[in-house]
Amino acid sequence: MELPEPTTVAFKVDVDTFVGTRDGIPKLLNTLQRFGIRATFYFSLGPDNSGKAIRRIVKKGFLSKMLRTRAPSMYGVRTMLYGTLLPAPQIGARLPDVIRSVRQAGHEVGIHCWDHVKWHDYLGRFTKQAVAGELNRSAGMFEKIFGFPAKTTAAPGWTVTADSLEIQDSMRLAYSSDSRGTAPFFPVMDGRRFTTLQIPSTWPTMDELLGENGITLDTINDQYLAFLKPGLNVHTIHAELEGNALNSTFVDLLTRLTSRNVRFITLAEAADEFAANAPACSLKMGTIEGRAMPVALQG
Ligand SMILES: [Zn+2]
């Protein structure tokens, strides 16, 4: 008789900004420690050019999303000006101790990016050399901070190209987490099969769900519990949100998940468990509800 598959949750923590690194990380470490949960953190290691994301206002859909999620009140006014009226602070160079504290607290660590805004807005127009430059700078800063090379990456905004997957293949990673989908897989993009395992995020983020179909902070965790399925669930959270204005809602989610006998693992542990049976699946950029820019979708 086959035993029922345990319900497993892995938290992927994206850290996008200087303030999210400085203030959001300590708060999230505290929250996760209270529940005895280990997560996988992905760091932005170069300049915080968040102010330039204002350029996206002119692109379809972004303004309404920004107003809906009240980005200025969630991210803070300074962050909205970094890289424009205020100089872009160098995150890895200025906050190495905060970044190191994540590993010291027992969590897994990986590369999110060098320049989040640049990758997210322009990856499709980068030369292969420019993609390699972003990943090399990130890898150099990661190794300088931790003293060992990164074993995992997660692309900003789930934005990939065949070039970025090819360069990640050359980095000897254990896996990457760049996509949205249902279960771990080996990506096939533009007719090429890549060798780095993809562990997709399986749940929508809080900022995608809020405001859709009348979902509010009071009902959003009912929605997350409804997403919970046997096998691996991967939830992406942000140091800027769950480590700041949305922290109490996240604490409520953890309280409800722990009361349901959910097993928590890191993405590295998920890679170990699920790689052997991972199929090859297509990976394409496409749109999803609640997000203005396209994301990499498992086919
Ligand atoms: Zn991000």
Side-chain angles (χ1 to χ4, degrees):
M1 196 181 81
E2 228 176 288
L3 291 167
E5 219 181 343
T7 301
T8 302
V9 173
F11 289 108
K12 167 179 178 274
V13 186
D14 288 356
V15 189
D16 293 356
T17 64
F18 180 81
V19 173
T21 306
R22 187 192 62 192
D23 304 342
I25 284 178
K27 186 148 189 165
L28 269 185
L29 290 183
N30 194 291
T31 300
L32 292 166
Q33 195 202 351
R34 274 166 59 194
F35 290 87
I37 294 170
R38 288 161 60 240
T40 304
F41 284 69
Y42 290 99
F43 305 105
S44 300
L45 295 159
D48 177 356
N49 274 305
S50 299
K52 290 184 182 154
I54 288 174
R55 279 190 302 229
R56 263 185 257 142
I57 286 175
V58 298
K59 292 186 184 168
K60 185 173 160 251
F62 188 74
L63 182 60
S64 63
K65 178 181 155 62
M66 192 155 125
L67 293 173
R68 200 181 67 216
T69 60
R70 294 166 294 130
S73 69
M74 282 187 177
Y75 286 93
V77 171
R78 288 184 72 83
T79 296
M80 300 306 287
L81 300 177
Y82 282 149
T84 56
L85 295 178
L86 295 172
Q90 291 288 337
I91 303 171
R94 285 186 49 189
L95 301 170
D97 294 341
V98 182
I99 293 171
R100 226 175 273 124
S101 72
V102 173
R103 178 142 197 277
Q104 284 157 355
H107 301 280
E108 190 194 5
V109 290
I111 291 170
H112 197 26
C113 59
W114 182 251
D115 182 333
H116 198 283
V117 172
K118 192 172 160 195
W119 181 289
H120 191 205
D121 287 5
Y122 296 111
L123 181 68
R125 286 180 247 165
F126 280 5
T127 60
K128 196 186 282 186
Q129 211 176 6
V131 183
E134 292 290 300
L135 283 166
N136 284 340
R137 274 188 287 276
S138 310
M141 181 56 79
F142 183 97
E143 194 159 351
K144 190 173 169 194
I145 292 172
F146 290 107
F148 58 87
K151 298 304 287 176
T152 179
T153 62
W158 302 271
T159 307
V160 307
T161 59
D163 283 347
S164 70
L165 297 178
E166 181 186 318
I167 292 156
Q168 285 166 205
D169 275 0
S170 72
M171 292 171 72
R172 300 164 185 272
L173 303 168
Y175 69 93
S176 288
S177 186
D178 303 320
S179 53
R180 300 300 191 88
T182 51
F185 65 101
F186 289 96
V188 179
M189 191 174 211
D190 297 350
R192 296 161 61 192
R193 187 188 191 282
F194 295 92
T195 55
T196 308
L197 182 74
Q198 270 293 327
I199 303 186
S201 296
T202 65
W203 292 358
T205 60
M206 280 190 85
D207 60 307
E208 288 164 16
L209 278 182
L210 284 173
E212 295 285 337
N213 307 314
I215 293 170
T216 66
L217 286 176
D218 292 328
T219 59
I220 194 164
N221 288 335
D222 300 333
Q223 189 64 57
Y224 278 126
L225 290 174
F227 290 139
L228 199 59
K229 62 171 176 52
L232 179 64
N233 301 266
V234 178
H235 184 30
T236 296
I237 64 173
H238 284 87
E240 291 75 16
L241 301 175
E242 282 86 346
N244 184 19
L246 303 180
N247 187 259
S248 60
T249 312
F250 182 56
V251 168
D252 177 64
L253 177 65
L254 296 184
T255 305
R256 293 170 71 177
L257 287 174
T258 44
S259 75
R260 292 200 174 199
N261 226 353
V262 165
R263 182 178 71 125
F264 297 97
I265 63 175
T266 64
L267 291 178
E269 289 161 347
D272 283 344
E273 277 185 39
F274 294 90
N277 298 319
C281 296
S282 75
L283 188 61
K284 277 195 194 94
M285 296 300 291
T287 52
I288 55 169
E289 216 176 332
R291 191 159 286 278
M293 306 272 280
V295 295
L297 299 171
Q298 178 181 11

